[in-house]
PDB file of all heavy atoms in Angstrom:
ATOM      1  N   PHE A  37     125.769 142.064 100.661  1.00  0.00           N
ATOM      2  CA  PHE A  37     125.547 143.483 100.447  1.00  0.00           C
ATOM      3  C   PHE A  37     125.579 143.812  98.935  1.00  0.00           C
ATOM      4  O   PHE A  37     124.723 144.550  98.442  1.00  0.00           O
ATOM      5  CB  PHE A  37     126.632 144.288 101.154  1.00  0.00           C
ATOM      6  CG  PHE A  37     126.654 145.746 100.762  1.00  0.00           C
ATOM      7  CD1 PHE A  37     125.684 146.626 101.231  1.00  0.00           C
ATOM      8  CD2 PHE A  37     127.632 146.235  99.906  1.00  0.00           C
ATOM      9  CE1 PHE A  37     125.682 147.946 100.834  1.00  0.00           C
ATOM     10  CE2 PHE A  37     127.650 147.565  99.518  1.00  0.00           C
ATOM     11  CZ  PHE A  37     126.650 148.437  99.984  1.00  0.00           C
ATOM     12  N   ALA A  41     122.408 145.345  97.167  1.00  0.00           N
ATOM     13  CA  ALA A  41     122.601 146.731  96.705  1.00  0.00           C
ATOM     14  C   ALA A  41     122.369 146.862  95.202  1.00  0.00           C
ATOM     15  O   ALA A  41     121.723 147.812  94.744  1.00  0.00           O
ATOM     16  CB  ALA A  41     124.000 147.226  97.071  1.00  0.00           C
ATOM     17  N   THR A  44     118.702 147.054  94.494  1.00  0.00           N
ATOM     18  CA  THR A  44     118.015 148.302  94.833  1.00  0.00           C
ATOM     19  C   THR A  44     118.393 149.455  93.928  1.00  0.00           C
ATOM     20  O   THR A  44     117.649 150.434  93.804  1.00  0.00           O
ATOM     21  CB  THR A  44     118.316 148.726  96.290  1.00  0.00           C
ATOM     22  OG1 THR A  44     119.704 149.016  96.422  1.00  0.00           O
ATOM     23  CG2 THR A  44     117.935 147.615  97.263  1.00  0.00           C
ATOM     24  N   LEU A  45     119.540 149.359  93.271  1.00  0.00           N
ATOM     25  CA  LEU A  45     120.071 150.484  92.493  1.00  0.00           C
ATOM     26  C   LEU A  45     119.143 150.981  91.393  1.00  0.00           C
ATOM     27  O   LEU A  45     118.908 152.208  91.285  1.00  0.00           O
ATOM     28  CB  LEU A  45     121.443 150.129  91.917  1.00  0.00           C
ATOM     29  CG  LEU A  45     122.126 151.169  91.039  1.00  0.00           C
ATOM     30  CD1 LEU A  45     122.347 152.445  91.825  1.00  0.00           C
ATOM     31  CD2 LEU A  45     123.436 150.628  90.484  1.00  0.00           C
ATOM     32  N   PRO A  46     118.570 150.122  90.551  1.00  0.00           N
ATOM     33  CA  PRO A  46     117.727 150.628  89.461  1.00  0.00           C
ATOM     34  C   PRO A  46     116.541 151.448  89.945  1.00  0.00           C
ATOM     35  O   PRO A  46     116.186 152.468  89.324  1.00  0.00           O
ATOM     36  CB  PRO A  46     117.270 149.332  88.752  1.00  0.00           C
ATOM     37  CG  PRO A  46     118.321 148.328  89.037  1.00  0.00           C
ATOM     38  CD  PRO A  46     118.748 148.646  90.459  1.00  0.00           C
ATOM     39  N   MET A  47     115.921 151.031  91.042  1.00  0.00           N
ATOM     40  CA  MET A  47     114.754 151.779  91.537  1.00  0.00           C
ATOM     41  C   MET A  47     115.142 153.200  91.913  1.00  0.00           C
ATOM     42  O   MET A  47     114.462 154.168  91.560  1.00  0.00           O
ATOM     43  CB  MET A  47     114.143 151.078  92.734  1.00  0.00           C
ATOM     44  CG  MET A  47     112.912 151.807  93.265  1.00  0.00           C
ATOM     45  SD  MET A  47     112.178 151.004  94.730  1.00  0.00           S
ATOM     46  CE  MET A  47     113.466 151.316  95.941  1.00  0.00           C
ATOM     47  N   TYR A  48     116.267 153.351  92.620  1.00  0.00           N
ATOM     48  CA  TYR A  48     116.679 154.703  93.054  1.00  0.00           C
ATOM     49  C   TYR A  48     117.148 155.538  91.859  1.00  0.00           C
ATOM     50  O   TYR A  48     116.928 156.772  91.853  1.00  0.00           O
ATOM     51  CB  TYR A  48     117.764 154.598  94.121  1.00  0.00           C
ATOM     52  CG  TYR A  48     117.232 154.128  95.456  1.00  0.00           C
ATOM     53  CD1 TYR A  48     117.647 152.927  96.007  1.00  0.00           C
ATOM     54  CD2 TYR A  48     116.300 154.893  96.140  1.00  0.00           C
ATOM     55  CE1 TYR A  48     117.150 152.479  97.212  1.00  0.00           C
ATOM     56  CE2 TYR A  48     115.785 154.452  97.354  1.00  0.00           C
ATOM     57  CZ  TYR A  48     116.216 153.246  97.897  1.00  0.00           C
ATOM     58  OH  TYR A  48     115.710 152.796  99.087  1.00  0.00           O
ATOM     59  N   LEU A  49     117.742 154.919  90.874  1.00  0.00           N
ATOM     60  CA  LEU A  49     118.128 155.654  89.657  1.00  0.00           C
ATOM     61  C   LEU A  49     116.899 156.180  88.940  1.00  0.00           C
ATOM     62  O   LEU A  49     116.856 157.338  88.485  1.00  0.00           O
ATOM     63  CB  LEU A  49     118.914 154.734  88.727  1.00  0.00           C
ATOM     64  CG  LEU A  49     120.381 154.458  89.101  1.00  0.00           C
ATOM     65  CD1 LEU A  49     120.974 153.407  88.183  1.00  0.00           C
ATOM     66  CD2 LEU A  49     121.205 155.746  89.053  1.00  0.00           C
ATOM     67  N   VAL A  50     115.868 155.319  88.818  1.00  0.00           N
ATOM     68  CA  VAL A  50     114.637 155.735  88.155  1.00  0.00           C
ATOM     69  C   VAL A  50     113.955 156.834  88.960  1.00  0.00           C
ATOM     70  O   VAL A  50     113.482 157.837  88.390  1.00  0.00           O
ATOM     71  CB  VAL A  50     113.698 154.523  87.970  1.00  0.00           C
ATOM     72  CG1 VAL A  50     112.306 154.983  87.585  1.00  0.00           C
ATOM     73  CG2 VAL A  50     114.266 153.568  86.918  1.00  0.00           C
ATOM     74  N   LEU A  51     113.866 156.683  90.271  1.00  0.00           N
ATOM     75  CA  LEU A  51     113.220 157.679  91.086  1.00  0.00           C
ATOM     76  C   LEU A  51     113.934 159.031  91.022  1.00  0.00           C
ATOM     77  O   LEU A  51     113.295 160.089  91.091  1.00  0.00           O
ATOM     78  CB  LEU A  51     113.119 157.205  92.538  1.00  0.00           C
ATOM     79  CG  LEU A  51     112.188 156.000  92.799  1.00  0.00           C
ATOM     80  CD1 LEU A  51     112.228 155.587  94.246  1.00  0.00           C
ATOM     81  CD2 LEU A  51     110.766 156.333  92.384  1.00  0.00           C
ATOM     82  N   GLN A  52     115.239 158.990  90.896  1.00  0.00           N
ATOM     83  CA  GLN A  52     115.992 160.261  90.803  1.00  0.00           C
ATOM     84  C   GLN A  52     115.686 160.993  89.508  1.00  0.00           C
ATOM     85  O   GLN A  52     115.662 162.231  89.463  1.00  0.00           O
ATOM     86  CB  GLN A  52     117.493 159.999  90.930  1.00  0.00           C
ATOM     87  CG  GLN A  52     118.326 161.279  91.036  1.00  0.00           C
ATOM     88  CD  GLN A  52     119.795 160.999  91.083  1.00  0.00           C
ATOM     89  OE1 GLN A  52     120.314 160.199  90.301  1.00  0.00           O
ATOM     90  NE2 GLN A  52     120.494 161.637  92.005  1.00  0.00           N
ATOM     91  N   ARG A  53     115.437 160.227  88.463  1.00  0.00           N
ATOM     92  CA  ARG A  53     115.173 160.841  87.173  1.00  0.00           C
ATOM     93  C   ARG A  53     113.688 161.224  86.996  1.00  0.00           C
ATOM     94  O   ARG A  53     113.322 161.958  86.072  1.00  0.00           O
ATOM     95  CB  ARG A  53     115.565 159.904  86.026  1.00  0.00           C
ATOM     96  CG  ARG A  53     117.063 159.600  85.950  1.00  0.00           C
ATOM     97  CD  ARG A  53     117.398 158.808  84.731  1.00  0.00           C
ATOM     98  NE  ARG A  53     117.003 159.525  83.520  1.00  0.00           N
ATOM     99  CZ  ARG A  53     117.116 159.003  82.297  1.00  0.00           C
ATOM    100  NH1 ARG A  53     117.564 157.789  82.136  1.00  0.00           N
ATOM    101  NH2 ARG A  53     116.755 159.718  81.217  1.00  0.00           N
ATOM    102  N   ASN A 188     115.897 156.281 105.618  1.00  0.00           N
ATOM    103  CA  ASN A 188     115.714 156.880 104.288  1.00  0.00           C
ATOM    104  C   ASN A 188     115.302 158.335 104.389  1.00  0.00           C
ATOM    105  O   ASN A 188     115.760 159.171 103.577  1.00  0.00           O
ATOM    106  CB  ASN A 188     114.658 156.087 103.499  1.00  0.00           C
ATOM    107  CG  ASN A 188     115.214 154.808 102.902  1.00  0.00           C
ATOM    108  OD1 ASN A 188     116.181 154.827 102.152  1.00  0.00           O
ATOM    109  ND2 ASN A 188     114.649 153.696 103.249  1.00  0.00           N
ATOM    110  N   ILE A 191     118.430 160.326 105.214  1.00  0.00           N
ATOM    111  CA  ILE A 191     119.282 160.453 104.016  1.00  0.00           C
ATOM    112  C   ILE A 191     118.760 161.557 103.122  1.00  0.00           C
ATOM    113  O   ILE A 191     119.517 162.411 102.626  1.00  0.00           O
ATOM    114  CB  ILE A 191     119.358 159.115 103.270  1.00  0.00           C
ATOM    115  CG1 ILE A 191     120.180 158.106 104.077  1.00  0.00           C
ATOM    116  CG2 ILE A 191     120.007 159.318 101.882  1.00  0.00           C
ATOM    117  CD1 ILE A 191     120.087 156.679 103.534  1.00  0.00           C
ATOM    118  N   ASP A 192     117.450 161.599 102.915  1.00  0.00           N
ATOM    119  CA  ASP A 192     116.859 162.642 102.067  1.00  0.00           C
ATOM    120  C   ASP A 192     117.058 164.024 102.656  1.00  0.00           C
ATOM    121  O   ASP A 192     117.419 164.984 101.965  1.00  0.00           O
ATOM    122  CB  ASP A 192     115.362 162.387 101.891  1.00  0.00           C
ATOM    123  CG  ASP A 192     115.094 161.257 100.898  1.00  0.00           C
ATOM    124  OD1 ASP A 192     115.938 161.067 100.000  1.00  0.00           O
ATOM    125  OD2 ASP A 192     114.055 160.590 101.048  1.00  0.00           O
ATOM    126  N   LEU A 193     116.893 164.150 103.978  1.00  0.00           N
ATOM    127  CA  LEU A 193     117.004 165.454 104.640  1.00  0.00           C
ATOM    128  C   LEU A 193     118.448 165.983 104.568  1.00  0.00           C
ATOM    129  O   LEU A 193     118.656 167.189 104.416  1.00  0.00           O
ATOM    130  CB  LEU A 193     116.555 165.359 106.086  1.00  0.00           C
ATOM    131  CG  LEU A 193     115.061 165.294 106.361  1.00  0.00           C
ATOM    132  CD1 LEU A 193     114.813 165.158 107.854  1.00  0.00           C
ATOM    133  CD2 LEU A 193     114.355 166.550 105.845  1.00  0.00           C
ATOM    134  N   THR A 194     119.392 165.101 104.698  1.00  0.00           N
ATOM    135  CA  THR A 194     120.792 165.549 104.839  1.00  0.00           C
ATOM    136  C   THR A 194     121.567 165.585 103.544  1.00  0.00           C
ATOM    137  O   THR A 194     122.541 166.350 103.399  1.00  0.00           O
ATOM    138  CB  THR A 194     121.563 164.652 105.836  1.00  0.00           C
ATOM    139  OG1 THR A 194     121.463 163.282 105.378  1.00  0.00           O
ATOM    140  CG2 THR A 194     120.932 164.745 107.217  1.00  0.00           C
ATOM    141  N   LEU A 195     121.141 164.776 102.543  1.00  0.00           N
ATOM    142  CA  LEU A 195     121.989 164.634 101.349  1.00  0.00           C
ATOM    143  C   LEU A 195     121.310 164.990 100.024  1.00  0.00           C
ATOM    144  O   LEU A 195     122.002 165.128  99.020  1.00  0.00           O
ATOM    145  CB  LEU A 195     122.516 163.189 101.260  1.00  0.00           C
ATOM    146  CG  LEU A 195     123.371 162.683 102.415  1.00  0.00           C
ATOM    147  CD1 LEU A 195     123.707 161.217 102.217  1.00  0.00           C
ATOM    148  CD2 LEU A 195     124.652 163.520 102.527  1.00  0.00           C
ATOM    149  N   SER A 196     119.999 165.107  99.991  1.00  0.00           N
ATOM    150  CA  SER A 196     119.290 165.272  98.720  1.00  0.00           C
ATOM    151  C   SER A 196     119.610 166.595  98.024  1.00  0.00           C
ATOM    152  O   SER A 196     119.490 166.720  96.805  1.00  0.00           O
ATOM    153  CB  SER A 196     117.781 165.134  98.894  1.00  0.00           C
ATOM    154  OG  SER A 196     117.318 166.119  99.795  1.00  0.00           O
ATOM    155  N   SER A 197     120.019 167.623  98.784  1.00  0.00           N
ATOM    156  CA  SER A 197     120.273 168.929  98.180  1.00  0.00           C
ATOM    157  C   SER A 197     121.752 169.117  97.779  1.00  0.00           C
ATOM    158  O   SER A 197     122.132 170.170  97.280  1.00  0.00           O
ATOM    159  CB  SER A 197     119.899 170.042  99.161  1.00  0.00           C
ATOM    160  OG  SER A 197     120.691 169.939 100.348  1.00  0.00           O
ATOM    161  N   ILE A 198     122.556 168.092  97.951  1.00  0.00           N
ATOM    162  CA  ILE A 198     124.006 168.176  97.660  1.00  0.00           C
ATOM    163  C   ILE A 198     124.309 167.534  96.314  1.00  0.00           C
ATOM    164  O   ILE A 198     123.916 166.385  96.050  1.00  0.00           O
ATOM    165  CB  ILE A 198     124.823 167.494  98.769  1.00  0.00           C
ATOM    166  CG1 ILE A 198     124.499 168.115 100.136  1.00  0.00           C
ATOM    167  CG2 ILE A 198     126.293 167.598  98.476  1.00  0.00           C
ATOM    168  CD1 ILE A 198     125.128 167.378 101.275  1.00  0.00           C
ATOM    169  N   ALA A 199     125.024 168.241  95.448  1.00  0.00           N
ATOM    170  CA  ALA A 199     125.525 167.682  94.174  1.00  0.00           C
ATOM    171  C   ALA A 199     124.476 166.951  93.390  1.00  0.00           C
ATOM    172  O   ALA A 199     124.615 165.792  92.975  1.00  0.00           O
ATOM    173  CB  ALA A 199     126.710 166.764  94.502  1.00  0.00           C
ATOM    174  N   ASN A 200     123.324 167.653  93.163  1.00  0.00           N
ATOM    175  CA  ASN A 200     122.215 167.108  92.378  1.00  0.00           C
ATOM    176  C   ASN A 200     121.632 165.817  92.956  1.00  0.00           C
ATOM    177  O   ASN A 200     121.033 165.027  92.239  1.00  0.00           O
ATOM    178  CB  ASN A 200     122.664 166.858  90.941  1.00  0.00           C
ATOM    179  CG  ASN A 200     123.022 168.117  90.203  1.00  0.00           C
ATOM    180  OD1 ASN A 200     122.335 169.138  90.368  1.00  0.00           O
ATOM    181  ND2 ASN A 200     124.091 168.090  89.426  1.00  0.00           N
ATOM    182  N   GLY A 201     121.831 165.616  94.249  1.00  0.00           N
ATOM    183  CA  GLY A 201     121.235 164.466  94.911  1.00  0.00           C
ATOM    184  C   GLY A 201     121.977 163.157  94.782  1.00  0.00           C
ATOM    185  O   GLY A 201     121.523 162.133  95.265  1.00  0.00           O
ATOM    186  N   TYR A 202     123.151 163.206  94.130  1.00  0.00           N
ATOM    187  CA  TYR A 202     123.914 161.940  93.958  1.00  0.00           C
ATOM    188  C   TYR A 202     124.416 161.361  95.283  1.00  0.00           C
ATOM    189  O   TYR A 202     124.423 160.138  95.434  1.00  0.00           O
ATOM    190  CB  TYR A 202     125.062 162.149  92.971  1.00  0.00           C
ATOM    191  CG  TYR A 202     124.591 162.222  91.544  1.00  0.00           C
ATOM    192  CD1 TYR A 202     124.541 163.434  90.886  1.00  0.00           C
ATOM    193  CD2 TYR A 202     124.164 161.089  90.886  1.00  0.00           C
ATOM    194  CE1 TYR A 202     124.106 163.522  89.558  1.00  0.00           C
ATOM    195  CE2 TYR A 202     123.727 161.136  89.586  1.00  0.00           C
ATOM    196  CZ  TYR A 202     123.690 162.364  88.917  1.00  0.00           C
ATOM    197  OH  TYR A 202     123.214 162.431  87.616  1.00  0.00           O
ATOM    198  N   PRO A 203     124.826 162.189  96.244  1.00  0.00           N
ATOM    199  CA  PRO A 203     125.164 161.620  97.543  1.00  0.00           C
ATOM    200  C   PRO A 203     123.967 160.906  98.204  1.00  0.00           C
ATOM    201  O   PRO A 203     124.130 159.863  98.851  1.00  0.00           O
ATOM    202  CB  PRO A 203     125.622 162.830  98.365  1.00  0.00           C
ATOM    203  CG  PRO A 203     126.104 163.786  97.360  1.00  0.00           C
ATOM    204  CD  PRO A 203     125.205 163.633  96.176  1.00  0.00           C
ATOM    205  N   ALA A 204     122.781 161.465  98.038  1.00  0.00           N
ATOM    206  CA  ALA A 204     121.560 160.831  98.569  1.00  0.00           C
ATOM    207  C   ALA A 204     121.321 159.491  97.868  1.00  0.00           C
ATOM    208  O   ALA A 204     120.948 158.493  98.511  1.00  0.00           O
ATOM    209  CB  ALA A 204     120.352 161.752  98.425  1.00  0.00           C
ATOM    210  N   LEU A 205     121.508 159.478  96.544  1.00  0.00           N
ATOM    211  CA  LEU A 205     121.382 158.232  95.796  1.00  0.00           C
ATOM    212  C   LEU A 205     122.332 157.179  96.336  1.00  0.00           C
ATOM    213  O   LEU A 205     121.912 156.028  96.596  1.00  0.00           O
ATOM    214  CB  LEU A 205     121.655 158.465  94.309  1.00  0.00           C
ATOM    215  CG  LEU A 205     121.735 157.240  93.406  1.00  0.00           C
ATOM    216  CD1 LEU A 205     120.401 156.525  93.375  1.00  0.00           C
ATOM    217  CD2 LEU A 205     122.188 157.621  91.987  1.00  0.00           C
ATOM    218  N   ALA A 206     123.593 157.563  96.509  1.00  0.00           N
ATOM    219  CA  ALA A 206     124.566 156.618  97.068  1.00  0.00           C
ATOM    220  C   ALA A 206     124.169 156.158  98.456  1.00  0.00           C
ATOM    221  O   ALA A 206     124.282 154.977  98.799  1.00  0.00           O
ATOM    222  CB  ALA A 206     125.964 157.264  97.095  1.00  0.00           C
ATOM    223  N   GLY A 207     123.702 157.101  99.275  1.00  0.00           N
ATOM    224  CA  GLY A 207     123.288 156.754 100.629  1.00  0.00           C
ATOM    225  C   GLY A 207     122.144 155.776 100.641  1.00  0.00           C
ATOM    226  O   GLY A 207     122.136 154.828 101.434  1.00  0.00           O
ATOM    227  N   HIS A 208     121.148 155.998  99.781  1.00  0.00           N
ATOM    228  CA  HIS A 208     119.999 155.093  99.711  1.00  0.00           C
ATOM    229  C   HIS A 208     120.433 153.696  99.241  1.00  0.00           C
ATOM    230  O   HIS A 208     119.938 152.684  99.780  1.00  0.00           O
ATOM    231  CB  HIS A 208     118.960 155.638  98.752  1.00  0.00           C
ATOM    232  CG  HIS A 208     118.123 156.749  99.330  1.00  0.00           C
ATOM    233  ND1 HIS A 208     117.365 156.601 100.485  1.00  0.00           N
ATOM    234  CD2 HIS A 208     117.915 158.025  98.906  1.00  0.00           C
ATOM    235  CE1 HIS A 208     116.734 157.731 100.716  1.00  0.00           C
ATOM    236  NE2 HIS A 208     117.057 158.610  99.793  1.00  0.00           N
ATOM    237  N   VAL A 209     121.304 153.622  98.268  1.00  0.00           N
ATOM    238  CA  VAL A 209     121.755 152.330  97.757  1.00  0.00           C
ATOM    239  C   VAL A 209     122.534 151.567  98.825  1.00  0.00           C
ATOM    240  O   VAL A 209     122.337 150.360  99.040  1.00  0.00           O
ATOM    241  CB  VAL A 209     122.598 152.505  96.464  1.00  0.00           C
ATOM    242  CG1 VAL A 209     123.234 151.169  96.056  1.00  0.00           C
ATOM    243  CG2 VAL A 209     121.730 153.039  95.335  1.00  0.00           C
ATOM    244  N   ILE A 210     123.417 152.295  99.520  1.00  0.00           N
ATOM    245  CA  ILE A 210     124.207 151.625 100.577  1.00  0.00           C
ATOM    246  C   ILE A 210     123.314 151.142 101.694  1.00  0.00           C
ATOM    247  O   ILE A 210     123.377 149.963 102.126  1.00  0.00           O
ATOM    248  CB  ILE A 210     125.270 152.616 101.129  1.00  0.00           C
ATOM    249  CG1 ILE A 210     126.331 152.876 100.060  1.00  0.00           C
ATOM    250  CG2 ILE A 210     125.936 152.032 102.377  1.00  0.00           C
ATOM    251  CD1 ILE A 210     127.306 153.994 100.425  1.00  0.00           C
ATOM    252  N   TRP A 211     122.409 152.027 102.158  1.00  0.00           N
ATOM    253  CA  TRP A 211     121.510 151.625 103.230  1.00  0.00           C
ATOM    254  C   TRP A 211     120.582 150.507 102.733  1.00  0.00           C
ATOM    255  O   TRP A 211     120.342 149.533 103.486  1.00  0.00           O
ATOM    256  CB  TRP A 211     120.687 152.810 103.725  1.00  0.00           C
ATOM    257  CG  TRP A 211     119.563 152.388 104.619  1.00  0.00           C
ATOM    258  CD1 TRP A 211     118.223 152.428 104.327  1.00  0.00           C
ATOM    259  CD2 TRP A 211     119.648 151.802 105.923  1.00  0.00           C
ATOM    260  NE1 TRP A 211     117.496 151.901 105.366  1.00  0.00           N
ATOM    261  CE2 TRP A 211     118.347 151.518 106.351  1.00  0.00           C
ATOM    262  CE3 TRP A 211     120.735 151.487 106.743  1.00  0.00           C
ATOM    263  CZ2 TRP A 211     118.089 150.962 107.606  1.00  0.00           C
ATOM    264  CZ3 TRP A 211     120.475 150.929 108.003  1.00  0.00           C
ATOM    265  CH2 TRP A 211     119.152 150.660 108.417  1.00  0.00           C
ATOM    266  N   GLY A 212     120.060 150.657 101.511  1.00  0.00           N
ATOM    267  CA  GLY A 212     119.172 149.625 100.991  1.00  0.00           C
ATOM    268  C   GLY A 212     119.832 148.265 100.899  1.00  0.00           C
ATOM    269  O   GLY A 212     119.235 147.233 101.211  1.00  0.00           O
ATOM    270  N   GLY A 213     121.107 148.242 100.499  1.00  0.00           N
ATOM    271  CA  GLY A 213     121.859 146.982 100.438  1.00  0.00           C
ATOM    272  C   GLY A 213     121.987 146.332 101.798  1.00  0.00           C
ATOM    273  O   GLY A 213     121.795 145.134 101.961  1.00  0.00           O
TER     274      GLY A 213
END
Side-chain angles (χ1 to χ4, degrees):
F37 169 75
T44 64
L45 179 59
M47 182 182 68
Y48 287 116
L49 284 172
V50 167
L51 292 178
Q52 188 182 47
R53 295 187 59 185
N188 281 302
I191 290 169
D192 284 332
L193 284 178
T194 58
L195 300 175
S196 60
S197 62
I198 303 173
N200 295 320
Y202 285 104
L205 172 64
H208 282 303
V209 171
I210 292 170
W211 167 251

